């Protein structure tokens, strides 16, 4: 098994250890907003995958 030389930040933080802990920590800030957007959270439109034009067409069909 190849051993890698540990990489540290200027402050002395072990970079690989931080990456490992982040991977185990749960949802990221962005993932939380995406989840809220899908459940109808307020001010989360930028994270929503809803097509607003399609919804508007269904609510208010064009007048002929």
């Amino acid at each position: 098994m190849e051993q890698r030389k540990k990489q540290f930040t200027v402050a002395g933080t072990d970079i690989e250890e931080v990456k490992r802990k982040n991977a185990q920590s749960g949802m990221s800030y962005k993932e939380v907003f995406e989840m809220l957007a899908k459940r109808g959270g307020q001010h989360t439109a930028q994270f929503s995958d809803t097509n607003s034009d399609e919804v508007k067409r269904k609510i208010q069909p064009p007048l002929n």
Side-chain angles (χ1 to χ4, degrees):
M1 182 176 186
E2 178 185 331
Q3 272 201 343
R4 294 182 178 163
K5 184 177 178 182
K6 287 193 173 200
Q7 293 181 311
F8 295 91
T9 65
V10 175
T13 304
D14 182 340
I15 295 170
E16 292 303 318
E17 180 70 8
V18 170
K19 288 180 181 179
R20 185 184 67 75
K21 286 183 178 181
N22 283 346
Q24 297 173 346
S25 68
M27 290 194 296
S28 70
Y29 187 77
K30 182 179 175 185
E31 290 169 331
V32 169
F33 269 98
E34 288 173 352
M35 181 202 61
L36 289 172
K38 290 179 181 175
R39 294 185 179 180
Q42 294 182 346
H43 310 294
T44 59
Q46 68 186 25
F47 299 99
S48 178
D49 57 4
T50 302
N51 182 331
S52 59
D53 291 329
E54 183 180 331
V55 172
K56 287 175 188 175
R57 280 192 300 273
K58 288 180 180 179
I59 293 172
Q60 183 69 41
L63 299 174
N64 292 337

